[in-house]
Each structure stands twice: as structure tokens, then as C-alpha cells.
Amino acid sequence: KKQKTKPPILKSGALCSSMAGEPSEAELVQIANNFLLNAPPGEFLEVVTDVRALLPRESMLNSTAAKTFREYNCDQMVQVDVPDGSHKVLITQHGEVREGEYLDPVGHQIVKFDHIKQEVQGAHPISGELDSDMEPARAAFEKQALAYCTEHYPFGTTTVYSNKAENAIIICLAAAKYNPNNYWNGRWRSVWKIQLAKSGNMNLTGRIRVQVHYYEDGNVQLHSDTTKKVTAPAAADPATAATNAMKAILKSEQAFQQAVDTSYTTMGETSFKALRRALPITHQKINWNLIRSYRLGSEVGSS
């Protein structure tokens, strides 16, 4: 049976007693929204239900729900299916053209997303939202980004935008996997801004975030947030520039993943070992071979 994810407050009224004096309703709502915005991947609605139960009135969140839900979904870059189910698109601040409407460059459409219901409610064709001057470069980067995502992120989705004012391409990539039956969920998010150039090098700035929640008989979360700055050879040809940029992104993200793996290995050999006894309370190592022989002798004697 799936265990509900609980915020670090477990008793009714805890929000009221967590501050010195009597908090105002606005302060309670601010605290509650902070819990919501820090909900683990795939568990947002569960946290909403639990936080509402902790408030004096469940309706207290109604006035801020739309803003909080939108902020959470955009920050998490949630992956949603387009209306015809042909592909997925990311809900991000970079793709928001109007409130509740998000750019889907792959499908050449604007997707309508209901943040409260957490679902796509329709779409309509693009009409000027993609800049014609930037489109050749954006399309070239999109082609390379889709191939990269397919190869390296089996559960991933990428959406590529352009920013004419900054002469830049923005690549958003998110990959989530939920496994509540085994009490864990996780999401990878990376955003890369590529400053285009005709010659020399392109400057790439990336932000990589990883969030994992493991909650079987406990509550352990991994939060990793890092910024990367790399360069890639520029090219007048958009396809060549896109290929060069994706090679630099691949190298940077692989280095990040290797660093996380190394960190876990180091923690296992140092930090985690310090949390447990090196020897049992008898200060002697357990002779497992001897115990096994005792068990075998017992089984033979009883047969």
C-alpha cells in the first residue's frame, strides 16, 4: 500500500503553533504555499491534500492556489501529452505565451494547460509566436536536442525556444520517473541557454537540477542544483552550430552525473559508515560461516 508523503509537520494545528505568537492568516498561507512549492516530484497533489488538512480552514489556499500551482508546474517543467497524443511538451516559463497557454514548437501549436486540474484542455495553431528570423536556428537546435533526449533520457522530454532579444536558443529538458510501489520518485531538469555567434565560440550557460524522494520507512530527499558554463565552436550553419552545442552539453551533463556517482561512493565509504558501528556491541566480527554450520546441523538433527 502506498504511503502518503507528509511534509515535516504531522499534527493538526502544527502550522498555527510553529511560530511565536498567533500567526496571521496571510502568514499561514505563506507557510503552506512554501510546503507546496517544495513538494517532491509526482507527489504535489498529495502534499496539497495534507497541507489543507493542517490549516484551520481548507479554503484558505483557494485565493493563492492558481498562482502556486502555476509556479510549481513551470518550475518543475512538467511533461504533458499534447491533445492528439503524438508527443509530449514541457510546461515552462520560457514557453508561456499567455496565462495558461504554452508554446509547443514541435506541434506548431499553443497548448492550453489547466494548472489546477493538472491537465491539457486543448490547443490552437501558432500565429506569430515563433520568430521567423530565429526559426532556422531554433529548428536546427530542436532536431539535435530531440535526438539527444531520445538517446540519453528514456523518460525525458525536451522543448526548444528562441529569444531574439538576446540572440539565444533555450533548450529545456526534463525527465521524470515515478515508482510509488517502491516508495521513490525523481526528476531531472536542465535548462541551457546558448548565445549564438557566427564565429569564434558560443557561450553556453546551463542549470542542472535533480530531485529524488525515497520514503520507505523514512523520508530521504536528494536536491542537487548546479550551474555550468561551457563553450562550443560557433558556425554560420545552424545545423553545425547545433551539433557543436549538443556535444558540449553532453560532455557537461555526463560529467555532472559522474560527479554525483562519485559523491555517493565517497559518502558510502565515509559519511554513512560514521553513522553505524564498525563492530557489533560485542566488539567482535560475526562469524557467518560458523552460524551457517550451526543452522545446517540443526536442520540435519531435526530431520
Side-chain angles (χ1 to χ4, degrees), residues 58-241:
E58 290 190 2
S59 61
M60 287 175 65
L61 290 180
N62 290 353
S63 62
T64 59
K67 178 178 181 296
T68 302
F69 280 43
R70 171 176 166 269
E71 183 177 348
Y72 180 85
N73 290 329
C74 289
D75 183 63
Q76 289 287 322
M77 302 199 305
V78 295
Q79 304 161 257
V80 299
D81 289 305
V82 297
D84 66 4
S86 60
H87 60 279
K88 292 182 181 291
V89 66
L90 297 181
I91 302 300
T92 76
Q93 61 177 1
H94 302 286
E96 189 174 58
V97 293
R98 284 170 292 276
E99 187 173 346
E101 296 191 351
Y102 297 87
L103 191 62
D104 171 25
V106 171
H108 297 281
Q109 61 187 348
I110 303 298
V111 171
K112 298 179 180 178
F113 184 73
D114 188 316
H115 289 283
I116 299 296
K117 295 181 179 179
Q118 305 277 297
E119 64 182 22
V120 172
Q121 295 196 320
H124 60 81
I126 284 175
S127 58
E129 286 85 1
L130 287 176
D131 188 275
S132 58
D133 293 335
M134 297 290 293
E135 187 55 18
R138 192 210 63 78
F141 276 81
E142 178 180 83
K143 180 179 179 180
Q144 292 297 323
L146 289 170
Y148 171 75
C149 182
T150 300
E151 181 176 357
H152 297 284
Y153 297 91
F155 303 97
T157 301
T158 186
T159 305
V160 181
Y161 312 99
S162 62
N163 185 326
K164 185 176 182 179
E166 299 183 23
N167 193 33
I169 299 295
I170 299 170
I171 299 175
C172 295
L173 193 156
K177 189 169 184 181
Y178 310 134
N179 196 337
N181 290 334
N182 290 311
Y183 309 103
W184 62 264
N185 299 300
R187 176 178 283 127
W188 167 289
R189 289 168 287 167
S190 58
V191 178
W192 289 90
K193 181 179 178 181
I194 301 99
Q195 208 72 45
L196 298 177
K198 297 286 186 179
S199 60
N201 287 324
M202 298 178 290
N203 293 317
L204 285 71
T205 303
R207 184 185 182 189
I208 302 173
R209 290 180 288 173
V210 176
Q211 185 176 0
V212 179
H213 184 210
Y214 180 77
Y215 51 99
E216 183 176 18
D217 297 326
N219 187 1
V220 180
Q221 292 197 47
L222 162 70
H223 287 264
S224 181
D225 188 340
T226 186
T227 300
K228 299 284 187 180
K229 291 187 177 182
V230 297
T231 60
D237 174 42
T240 303

Side-chain angles (χ1 to χ4, degrees), residues 257-271:
Q257 293 188 40
Q258 290 169 359
V260 171
D261 290 341
T262 301
S263 176
Y264 269 112
T265 301
T266 303
M267 289 174 65
E269 295 176 350
T270 56
S271 304

Side-chain angles (χ1 to χ4, degrees), residues 245-261:
M246 292 313 302
K247 286 180 180 178
I249 291 173
L250 170 62
K251 183 178 180 180
S252 185
E253 293 194 343
Q254 283 184 334
F256 170 78
Q257 293 188 40
Q258 290 169 359
V260 171
D261 290 341

